[in-house]
Amino acid sequence: MNLYDPFKNEVKTKGTFIVRSNRFVVKCYVYGKIFDCHLPNPGRLWELLFPGVTLFLIENRGGKTAYTVIAVDTPDGPVLLHTHKANDLVEELLKKREIPSFREKKPIKREISVGNSRFDFLLEGNSRPTLLEVKSCTLFGKRGSMFPDAPSERAVRHVEELEYLSSEGYDAAVIFVVQSKKPEWFLPDFHTDPKFAEAIYHARDRIEVVALSIPWRPDLTLSESPVELPIPWEKMRDENEDRGTSLIVYDLTEADELPPGHYVLVIEADENLSSASTKAVRKRRRIVDLEDRLNNKRRSVKTIPIRSSKKLGRRIYERLYPLSSMDKDVAKLSYDGRWLLRFEESPFLLKDFVDVVVANRIDRLS
């Protein structure tokens, strides 16, 4: 394909990521100064945003922040973070017939309202009109990619609406724009959003599901055609059950006799994984079986479910133990399918910690 530059009218610069202030603002070093930068991506992005990584930026003209983040640099090339540009990219690829599954269709309208939802594109071709929804995917392992990286009721609603409209005179489709050339396959993220995974799995015979791997160049231009990735539905079918392992991350200001810090409770559940995680988080607002040692003075709590047909808890604990700041009082509280770890800083800022999560959620399926 001809060279495509989604930011051809913008001056790109680079900054160094410091911290994420909220879902839409990050702090960066740019030319030796600290700036607030707009992040047009509400995803969690745990796997990409670590202190010190390089971000691609464009200047804001009259906005509340000095710059807008458009991508993050990785050892495997840049990953586009600007979700709004995914639709521009798909429109360009459709017009140039660079998407194999849609070479016989062309876009005739963007942002079309049908039923109770608004969809990204209306396409026409040799058969019925096609409603197309576009999703930007930035969650990758060594070989696989998954979407979403945070629960999305909107995405579930879109799939359900598309499935219904496929029997009301429309063809329906979803394109997942995988913002890297690295992945070799794609699946819905049944760990993070099982409702979305179930919805699209149920509708897969009535909705065309396509995943495109985008080979961005180091200058954030595109000169090669994207590659359609296989979707190994059978892997999700085998693993998407309410069992597996949960990592519950507590940010504690005070923990009874234990020092304050970030605690990770690894829980293994042969069934009712969601229930086990909920009980651990909510029962008397304390950790199950550890309430005599860890009290309710936590600042925040996050749960990371890993759905699996295999017992992974001990292996995950053993991988995380060398990264932790273990105390003898913490270590002896691990027993019977529950293991407790302590970290001085947020484990989400530790790439090695996140790599263990990715390895067990994504890489294990390859």
Side-chain angles (χ1 to χ4, degrees):
M1 64 177 294
N2 296 329
L3 185 70
Y4 173 67
D5 184 352
F7 304 98
K8 62 182 178 181
N9 297 320
E10 306 285 352
V11 177
K12 305 183 191 83
T13 189
K14 292 184 179 181
T16 302
F17 174 71
I18 302 173
V19 69
R20 190 170 185 174
S21 303
N22 57 51
R23 286 205 304 166
F24 297 105
V25 176
V26 300
K27 290 188 182 294
C28 292
Y29 284 113
V30 187
Y31 302 125
K33 297 181 180 179
I34 298 177
F35 291 92
D36 284 333
C37 303
H38 174 54
L39 177 65
N41 190 319
R44 289 172 174 166
L45 305 176
W46 290 339
E47 302 77 16
L48 295 171
L49 296 183
F50 298 101
V53 299
T54 298
L55 299 180
F56 293 82
L57 312 168
I58 55 175
E59 289 188 19
N60 285 339
R61 300 181 180 90
K64 294 182 179 180
T65 58
Y67 297 92
T68 291
V69 178
I70 58 175
V72 57
D73 202 10
T74 77
D76 300 295
V79 174
L80 194 73
L81 298 182
H82 199 307
T83 56
H84 304 156
K85 292 296 181 179
N87 287 12
D88 295 341
L89 170 63
V90 168
E91 183 175 31
E92 181 77 7
L93 295 172
L94 286 168
K95 288 179 178 178
K96 294 182 176 180
R97 301 182 183 274
E98 294 287 344
I99 305 176
S101 294
F102 294 91
R103 284 193 177 128
E104 303 304 317
K105 298 180 182 291
K106 65 179 181 179
I108 57 175
K109 189 175 182 180
R110 285 182 63 162
E111 298 294 326
I112 177 172
S113 295
V114 181
N116 298 319
S117 295
R118 176 177 292 184
F119 300 101
D120 293 321
F121 289 96
L122 179 66
L123 312 179
E124 69 174 6
N126 297 327
S127 58
R128 304 188 301 177
T130 299
L131 293 170
L132 172 63
E133 186 66 13
V134 176
K135 305 294 183 185
S136 182
C137 171
T138 58
L139 173 58
F140 324 120
K142 292 181 179 178
R143 296 178 60 189
S145 56
M146 302 183 93
F147 175 95
D149 77 341
S152 174
E153 293 182 4
R154 181 173 180 269
V156 175
R157 186 176 68 252
H158 278 151
V159 170
E160 292 174 344
E161 285 281 325
L162 285 172
E163 182 180 17
Y164 169 75
L165 291 169
S166 69
S167 62
E168 296 293 316
Y170 292 94
D171 287 337
V174 179
I175 290 180
F176 294 95
V177 180
V178 180
Q179 303 284 4
S180 171
K181 64 181 179 181
K182 177 183 177 181
E184 300 173 13
W185 53 263
F186 170 85
L187 274 177
D189 189 351
F190 55 89
H191 306 288
T192 298
D193 197 343
K195 290 183 179 179
F196 173 77
E198 285 291 342
I200 202 162
Y201 181 80
H202 181 267
R204 70 193 187 283
D205 294 331
R206 289 171 290 282
I207 298 176
E208 187 165 12
V209 183
V210 174
L212 289 177
S213 174
I214 308 299
W216 293 111
R217 291 170 28 151
D219 61 354
L220 274 182
T221 59
L222 184 65
S223 61
E224 304 172 48
S225 297
V227 175
E228 289 193 10
L229 301 178
I231 303 175
W233 295 107
E234 70 283 356
K235 291 183 183 293
M236 190 184 82
R237 182 194 63 218
D238 295 341
E239 294 290 284
N240 186 21
E241 298 184 17
D242 198 17
R243 58 181 175 172
T245 305
S246 274
L247 279 64
I248 305 177
V249 183
Y250 295 84
D251 179 4
L252 295 171
T253 55
E254 182 181 340
D256 209 10
E257 299 176 16
L258 300 178
H262 301 263
Y263 288 82
V264 177
L265 181 65
V266 182
I267 298 179
E268 197 158 69
D270 292 330
E271 57 183 11
N272 300 323
L273 177 66
S274 301
S275 175
S277 301
T278 301
K279 288 179 181 177
V281 172
R282 295 180 179 175
K283 184 179 179 182
R284 300 192 188 100
R285 298 186 66 188
R286 296 181 179 190
I287 299 176
V288 166
D289 298 330
L290 304 178
E291 57 260 57
D292 57 336
R293 303 300 300 274
L294 293 171
N295 64 28
N296 62 359
K297 296 180 181 180
R298 54 180 168 78
R299 288 193 292 266
S300 65
V301 60
K302 295 181 177 67
T303 301
I304 307 171
I306 301 173
R307 296 174 184 272
S308 171
S309 59
K310 298 180 174 62
K311 292 183 179 293
L312 303 174
R314 178 170 291 280
R315 185 175 74 178
I316 292 172
Y317 171 75
E318 290 173 351
R319 288 281 307 277
L320 294 179
Y321 183 89
L323 310 177
S324 66
S325 304
M326 287 300 292
D327 306 272
K328 62 179 181 180
D329 287 339
V330 175
K332 68 184 181 182
L333 293 176
S334 300
Y335 71 97
D336 191 26
R338 285 179 169 84
W339 298 268
L340 189 65
L341 297 155
R342 177 180 174 273
F343 295 82
E344 293 286 350
E345 60 180 329
S346 170
F348 296 106
L349 300 179
L350 302 175
K351 187 176 186 304
D352 288 343
F353 174 89
V354 176
D355 284 348
V356 171
V357 174
V358 171
N360 285 277
R361 278 182 156 187
I362 303 179
D363 298 338
R364 182 177 55 83
L365 301 175
S366 296

